[in-house]
Amino acid sequence: MGNKKSSIKTGEEIKDSSEPLKFKTDISDIEVGSKTSTATFLCELNMSQIEVEWYYCSKRLHPSHKYAIIDDGFIHKLKISNVSENDEGKYSVIAKGIRSEAKLYVEAHCKSKDL
C-alpha cells in the first residue's frame, strides 16, 4: 500500500535529468590531402534522440550534395564530400547549447611527411 516509485525500462534510452547533456566524444581536427577526399566529423553525446546543428564558421549547414548529416542515436556525423580548399576552416556542432569545435585542414599539394 506504500507509494513506492518504480521505473519501467524499455528499449529506448530514458533521459536522466540528473545527468547534464555532454559530449562523450568531441569532434576532432581533420587533415585531408586530396581535393577528391571525403571528410567526416563525428561526435558522441551521452543521450540519444538529441537534435544537433552543424556549422561551418558561423553558417549553419543543411543536408545537400556536399554535406550529409547523419544522426544515429548517440552518434552524430557530418560528412563533407569532394573536399576542396574552400572547405578548410572551423566546424562546430551544437546540441542544446553545448558546442564542440574542430578544424578541417586541406593540403594543397600532397607531400610526404617526415617521420
Side-chain angles (χ1 to χ4, degrees), residues 45-83:
L45 293 167
N46 65 334
M47 296 179 195
S48 66
Q49 301 178 351
I50 302 294
E51 186 175 325
V52 303
E53 297 174 351
W54 290 93
Y55 290 85
Y56 169 61
C57 296
S58 59
K59 179 185 171 196
R60 184 167 177 193
L61 301 176
H62 299 280
S64 66
H65 69 283
K66 180 77 172 170
Y67 302 108
I69 296 174
I70 301 147
D71 175 0
D72 189 15
F74 296 92
I75 306 288
H76 298 271
K77 298 177 189 176
L78 172 66
K79 184 177 178 181
I80 307 164
S81 300
N82 301 316
V83 174

Side-chain angles (χ1 to χ4, degrees), residues 79-92:
K79 184 177 178 181
I80 307 164
S81 300
N82 301 316
V83 174
S84 72
E85 292 174 24
N86 294 332
D87 298 311
E88 189 169 82
K90 182 174 73 172
Y91 288 80
S92 57

Side-chain angles (χ1 to χ4, degrees), residues 31-39 66 80-88 104-110:
E31 184 176 321
V32 294
S34 169
K35 290 186 178 185
T36 58
S37 292
T38 298
K66 180 77 172 170
I80 307 164
S81 300
N82 301 316
V83 174
S84 72
E85 292 174 24
N86 294 332
D87 298 311
E88 189 169 82
L104 174 63
Y105 299 97
V106 180
E107 296 265 334
H109 304 284
C110 293

